[in-house]
Amino acid sequence: MDGPSGVEMVRGGTAARLVRSCLTSRRSELDAVLGGVRDPIDRRPVLVRGERGAGRTALVRTAAEQLSGEGVVVIFLPCVPGDAEHPLLLTLRMVTALEEHRARTAGWRPSGTSAADVLSAVEQGDRAAVRESLAAALAQPVPVVVVVDDVHLADSASIALLGRVRTERGAGGARLVLTAVDHGPVGGSSGSGRAVDRLARNRTVLTVSLARLGPEDVTAAVSQQLQAVPDRRLSELAYSLSRGIPGAVDALLTGWADQGAIRVVDGHGYLDSTAPVPVLSDDDRFIAALDALGEPHRTAAAALSILWPLGRAAVELGAAASGLSDANIEAGIRALTDAGIVDELPSHDADSPALGWRFRVPLVEHAVRERLGPLERRRLSAAAVEALWAAGETAHTAALLVEEADAVWYLPDRIADAGTLLDRSRAATELVAAADRLHPAPGTQAIARWLGTAALLTDQPSARDLALFQYAKVSYLNGDYAASTAQTEAILRNPGEGLSVLDLQETGVLAVSAAAADDNWARVSRMAEQRWWDDLPLPAFTEVAGRTIALCLLERWPEALALLDRTEAVWNTDPAYRFHPELCRAACEYVVGRPERFLRSLDAPDLDGLPPERVYSMTVMQLDHLLGTGDLRRAEDLLSARGMTSEVLWATSRFLLCHLQGRWNEAMETARSALAHDRTFDAAPNQHLLAARTAAILLARGRTTSASRLLDSVRGRKPGPLEHTLDHCEAEVLRALGELDQAAGILRRGLEAANERQCVYATDELWATLAVVSQEAGRHADASACLSRLHTLAERMGSGRSRLLYLLASARVLGGDPAEDVRDRLREAVDLARSRSQPFETGITLATAAIAGAGPKTLLYEAYELFGETGAALWRYRARAALRDAGLAVPGRKQATTENDHLLATLIAEGLTNRQVATVLRLSENAVAHRITRLFTRTGLRSRTKVATAVLTAAR
């Protein structure tokens, strides 16, 4: 299901606002704590244990809030560092707090124990007297719960007493809830830590352990805080960087939210692919625990943050790089292990020493590494690289690292960090080789960093030129368009000898594409002019390719064709040189209504001579043109002929393919991600198709206002591409709301803009809709004129979609005159639609034919199922109405009622008035009012907003 309608689906999304977790993943542990406190028979103290960041405090605070709501008094006593140095201090604080509570309780006599008596006993070290005072204080006449947080920081004598104190049975009495850190098998190293370990093993204590969260629990926690469904990448990163520790998850989300890196679209949360991992602040619990250890432990942690993948060698290497002794580093690592900051990596042989160590929380490792000074980081990284180089070839790196390390990324990351401290030539060569092995890999900022470092390290101009060229391409793939633009322009203004003329041509094309993807249309306009290129020392065909791409992106098709015709002698001299110009010419001619060259190019007999990147570029361009005109069959054949699958396509291409195939939920998932990351850019003339088709899906699901907001959010890119595909969808929204005159005006505006640029691409939809809208508004002559233009266009382009649109529109415009002619057209439409295998389009055609009597009424059942497959709720509702009008039974009465409620709730949530709802559903206002009343009755709610939220949430 889609997210609630109240969550906008707009370009760029909205910044995430965190709602702190309600312990959705700790429900069983919370129940255990509450059960232990409420049990009138088993009155053991409750000890909540978990490692740092496990959520001990959050859990007991939630329990305290629930108990307070039941009228139970809760006394909260937090322990702090330094408490352990004062014997029996915690006991004194507990007795004092309980006696003060007793004194505030009207009608109750004191226990006979004063704070002064206890203080005296503490000072004299009379533990028996202190124990008796504590027992008397705990014997409260009314229920009270004492929560001691971080009891591991308390004095060991008080902790020992807590394990020997039992409160009496009955309605009154105080109950104890304690929290303590637990670092697992390491155990407590201090006196207080050992005392807590003994307390946990005591059968008179109920111990509740907080384990790490699993991947699904982390996803649930992220969803709770975002109030949105996180995408897979966000969930996976949250788990891998936190290793399931809630405190680390909270820190991650807070850091990303502060960066504005999490965007919410349509109830789904997405992490910006360029967002860096947050660095924990000085006051973060994990960093504070490390800083509290002091030296040499912090130096050991710094060394491990770089060297731990090398196993036990990290000790020697860390000592050499830091100037400390091996013994100091080993002592620091032991302290880090005792403090729960790092874990040992056990050997496969139980009798052998540990293989090494790694940070318990990867986010802490990242923070420690990022806090290193530049020189310290370079020295440690250089030590790692030199050790790996000395041990053997790069291909054997994986064998030299511990299993838990990332062998693919570790060495090049360390080389990039070490920089000039290494052999510059070898470092640069290995960085470029690593980038080549992983390219293309969108979303990997590290690869761009490797290439940038390689360019700085190499002394060979040709190698530096190639590294910077690759850097520009990888930056574009990562969505860092500003970096790509800056680097491509630098290359164009000062092209190095290491770049071939084809590299320069590709750089020019990339420079234009990066500016367009960055929405810098003023820059693209300048790049479309010759004077922008005049001062650049480039081959002539590079200028032609760049200018042509710019003109195409601006959808100035006639100018692009004129430029290509005028300069053919420049670029049509070599198959490699003419690749981009030929692609552009075929596309331009197709867009202006001359499809022959483009259709011939689909066969592409000379593909074997092209490099894979160019074959991919050509295929995607051709595929998108076919998908944009609704030619699914030919698009699928093209993919098959080129040996490609949808998985290798860019997001916009995958979206268009899924949309036509009726896989709308997959299409919406892709669209949400593209919108959140602001990656909706596609080559002309499809630059607005993702938004337009997404809005069409929203409309088909009854989300009229959401569709309009999405369209508004992507408009206004002046002097950018045409917006007539957006105009078509906006007109359909207005038509659904009964605003026929406004719809007609917007359709004419789109057609006029397309005509100004001699564009016929995707105008068939506008002509078809304008014909129907004109007919519905009673302007029959206008409708006939539009129909005639659509017929001419269909004949000119030979497009199956244009023909189908013409057949359906003519049936609506001609009506029943002559009836047999209309039925013949609809029968042809049914055959054509079935051959095109597009579920939604087929459903529309079948329903139209059945209602007009051009086929059996049972076609409505098939249309009904097709609308269900795509999730086209509004059209499924209309098919139900048509079934009833035809006297046919509607399948699944209960399901139909649920779907009706959901659609009505959706329209309400979209902010539609009763009159607008009536128009969309083709009912009277009274009928809508009755339906809303029945919905109120079924839900027990009286607010339109609450009803909509309840119904939509239940349906998710």
Side-chain angles (χ1 to χ4, degrees), residues 912-920 925 928:
L912 270 59
T913 64
N914 281 13
R915 175 175 294 182
Q916 289 174 317
V917 172
T919 301
V920 172
E925 285 190 60
V928 169

Coordinates of all heavy atoms in Angstrom, one line a residue, residues 912-920 925 928:
L912 N -10.5 16.6 -0.1 CA -11.6 16.9 -1.0 C -12.9 17.2 -0.3 O -13.2 16.6 0.8 CB -11.9 15.7 -2.0 CG -11.1 15.8 -3.3 CD1 -9.6 15.8 -3.1 CD2 -11.4 14.5 -4.2
T913 N -13.7 18.1 -0.8 CA -15.0 18.4 -0.2 C -16.0 17.3 -0.6 O -15.7 16.5 -1.5 CB -15.6 19.7 -0.7 OG1 -15.8 19.6 -2.1 CG2 -14.6 20.8 -0.4
N914 N -17.1 17.2 0.0 CA -18.2 16.2 -0.3 C -18.5 16.4 -1.8 O -18.8 15.4 -2.5 CB -19.4 16.4 0.5 CG -19.2 15.8 1.9 OD1 -18.1 15.4 2.3 ND2 -20.3 15.6 2.7
R915 N -18.6 17.6 -2.3 CA -19.0 17.8 -3.7 C -17.9 17.2 -4.6 O -18.2 16.6 -5.6 CB -19.2 19.3 -4.0 CG -19.4 19.6 -5.5 CD -19.8 21.1 -5.7 NE -21.0 21.4 -5.0 CZ -21.6 22.6 -5.1 NH1 -21.0 23.6 -5.8 NH2 -22.7 22.9 -4.5
Q916 N -16.6 17.5 -4.3 CA -15.6 16.9 -5.1 C -15.5 15.4 -5.0 O -15.3 14.8 -6.0 CB -14.2 17.5 -4.6 CG -14.0 19.0 -5.0 CD -12.8 19.6 -4.4 OE1 -12.4 19.3 -3.2 NE2 -12.1 20.4 -5.2
V917 N -15.7 14.9 -3.8 CA -15.8 13.4 -3.7 C -16.9 12.8 -4.6 O -16.7 11.8 -5.3 CB -16.0 13.0 -2.2 CG1 -16.2 11.5 -2.1 CG2 -14.8 13.4 -1.4
A918 N -18.0 13.5 -4.6 CA -19.2 13.1 -5.4 C -18.8 13.1 -6.9 O -19.2 12.2 -7.6 CB -20.4 13.9 -5.1
T919 N -18.1 14.1 -7.3 CA -17.7 14.2 -8.7 C -16.8 13.1 -9.1 O -16.9 12.4 -10.1 CB -17.0 15.5 -9.0 OG1 -17.9 16.6 -8.7 CG2 -16.6 15.7 -10.5
V920 N -15.8 12.8 -8.2 CA -14.8 11.8 -8.5 C -15.5 10.4 -8.5 O -15.2 9.6 -9.4 CB -13.7 11.8 -7.5 CG1 -12.7 10.6 -7.6 CG2 -12.9 13.1 -7.6
E925 N -24.2 14.3 -4.0 CA -23.6 14.7 -2.7 C -24.3 14.0 -1.5 O -23.6 13.7 -0.5 CB -23.7 16.2 -2.5 CG -22.7 17.0 -3.4 CD -22.7 18.5 -3.0 OE1 -22.4 18.8 -1.8 OE2 -23.1 19.3 -3.9
V928 N -22.8 10.6 -1.0 CA -21.5 10.7 -0.4 C -21.6 10.9 1.1 O -20.9 10.3 1.9 CB -20.6 11.8 -1.0 CG1 -19.4 12.1 -0.2 CG2 -20.2 11.4 -2.5

